[in-house]
Amino acid sequence: MYDHLNTLSPRPVLATPSATRAVLERHGIHARKKYGQNFLIDASVIEESIEAAGITKEDCVLEIGPGIGSMTQLLSRAAGRVVCVEIDTSLEPVLADTLADCDNVTILWQDILKTDLRALCEEYNGGRPMKVAANLPYYVTTPILMELLSQKGCFSSITVMVQKEVADRIRSGPDTKEYGALSLAVQYYAKPEIVTQVGAHAFFPRPNVDSTVLCLRAYETPPVEADERFLFALIRAAFNQRRKTLANALSHGFRYEDRTLTREEVTQALRALGLSETIRGEALSLEQFAALSRELASGQA
Ligand code: SAM
């Protein structure tokens, strides 16, 4: 099925069960659980992701966690340039082998969470927005997404494989059990779209969860108006104690710089917005959180 790709390069497509097994055996390595290594063995998933992200030779792509290079190889063929950040230095000889003919790929051997993403974007794409593509290590999905999203102007789209349950949380709305700080944070920065659902059979070794490829298209300006840091402090405090009423949660748990909130202040702001004094944070939409943050921030003056 992937013969058309194999005619473009002397190297066979890596994202198949047999090619992956052969690479692991040749280098005498195993997938490392502590780094969340589940290698993709279904090239169609990678092709769908590349298509959804609209990656062309004009693009400079950041790949997080290239692993043995399964996705990198196909990204290299589609993009102008690919910059990978990989934490597991034991994969150095593997990638030197599997990506030997990919001369538009640069690999940085470091932790993505300790990487200066703005400097990376500046160095490799002259400060223009890059696209992100990754089969993310599931143990650090949320911090990685938050780091990527909060770098305004650095990434125009983020197309990533995540645990299905995380994708459900990201896309959920008020009054559902999945809804929370992650849903609101992602929806503030980007429009999330499902690219495809992926079963465990698409990976080696098989994870014990289902997965989803999500494409997050970054907004040029956020869909709501608010002081971003104040808004996020409010959202965090609301969901840290999600079973409490908002007035309770915020009067006990909100702190932004030197600012705290009294129950009276929150109750008044809720009333001004026509919301019940006993409402919980999980019932508020992003727009309502933004309105509340504007109301409370203006009370500061
Ligand atoms: N892209 C490969 C694929 O699809 O077959 C591998 C994906 S595997 C799910 C996740 C990759 O992320 C692994 O290569 C792992 O070593 C790497 N990784 C884990 N934590 C990382 C971190 N903090 N920074 C950079 N890479 C990391």
Side-chain angles (χ1 to χ4, degrees):
M1 186 177 177
Y2 294 101
D3 286 351
H4 67 291
L5 290 172
N6 286 337
T7 57
L8 298 175
S9 160
R11 297 274 171 161
V13 166
L14 281 162
T16 69
S18 58
T20 300
R21 207 177 316 114
V23 168
L24 296 177
E25 278 173 16
R26 189 158 72 243
H27 289 274
I29 58 159
H30 299 280
R32 299 175 80 179
K33 213 174 172 177
K34 80 163 182 171
Y35 288 134
Q37 292 179 354
N38 297 94
F39 304 121
L40 265 167
I41 53 170
D42 182 346
S44 69
V45 173
I46 303 173
E47 290 203 308
E48 259 187 274
S49 307
I50 290 174
E51 199 178 320
I55 292 170
T56 70
K57 287 287 169 195
E58 302 295 306
D59 290 311
C60 180
V61 175
L62 165 65
E63 187 194 3
I64 298 156
I68 62 168
S70 319
M71 186 180 242
T72 325
Q73 181 192 49
L74 300 184
L75 285 172
S76 160
R77 295 178 193 179
R81 184 163 200 183
V82 185
V83 182
C84 304
V85 176
E86 172 58 63
I87 199 170
D88 182 3
T89 51
S90 74
L91 293 170
E92 249 181 286
V94 181
L95 289 181
D97 167 19
T98 58
L99 302 179
D101 61 346
C102 298
D103 55 11
N104 59 350
V105 175
T106 304
I107 298 166
L108 307 174
W109 296 97
Q110 58 203 52
D111 182 341
I112 189 70
L113 293 173
K114 295 188 180 142
T115 300
D116 183 338
L117 295 169
R118 195 159 287 280
L120 183 149
C121 181
E122 195 62 52
E123 180 169 354
Y124 293 97
N125 205 33
R128 291 181 302 280
M130 297 173 72
K131 288 181 176 168
V132 177
N135 168 16
L136 286 178
Y138 291 172
Y139 74 106
V140 276
T141 299
T142 302
I144 291 177
L145 286 181
M146 293 316 298
E147 270 307 305
L148 293 170
L149 287 164
S150 59
Q151 307 296 324
K152 284 224 187 71
C154 281
F155 306 109
S156 54
S157 71
I158 300 171
T159 307
V160 280
M161 177 85 71
V162 297
Q163 205 174 314
K164 179 180 179 302
E165 181 239 320
V166 173
D168 292 344
R169 273 167 54 205
I170 287 175
R171 298 179 65 254
S172 66
D175 282 329
T176 59
K177 70 177 186 339
E178 292 87 6
Y179 188 56
L182 180 66
S183 335
L184 285 157
V186 173
Q187 292 167 23
Y188 176 81
Y189 291 115
K191 185 171 165 39
E193 285 165 20
I194 289 186
V195 175
T196 185
Q197 305 286 4
V198 185
H201 59 271
F203 304 86
F204 181 80
R206 284 181 181 223
N208 46 21
V209 291
D210 286 330
S211 302
T212 301
V213 178
L214 269 188
C215 181
L216 310 177
R217 296 183 205 279
Y219 293 123
E220 279 183 17
T221 46
V224 294
E225 208 179 297
D227 172 334
E228 188 174 314
R229 296 199 306 132
F230 192 98
L231 172 66
F232 283 125
L234 208 62
I235 291 171
R236 266 194 308 275
F239 285 97
N240 270 345
Q241 296 174 302
R242 67 181 291 152
R243 302 309 302 159
K244 286 193 173 175
T245 64
L246 200 52
N248 249 334
L250 296 183
S251 57
H252 288 108
F254 176 84
R255 177 168 278 280
Y256 173 63
E257 297 175 349
D258 288 339
R259 183 92 194 275
T260 53
L261 293 168
T262 63
R263 167 190 282 277
E264 185 52 27
E265 272 178 288
V266 180
T267 309
Q268 259 182 29
L270 289 172
R271 233 183 271 136
L273 297 172
L275 294 170
S276 157
E277 293 171 21
T278 58
I279 199 165
R280 291 185 176 142
E282 61 193 15
L284 263 65
S285 65
L286 177 60
E287 290 71 17
Q288 288 172 318
F289 266 112
L292 183 64
S293 83
R294 290 195 299 271
E295 189 70 28
L296 289 167
S298 70
Q300 194 174 15

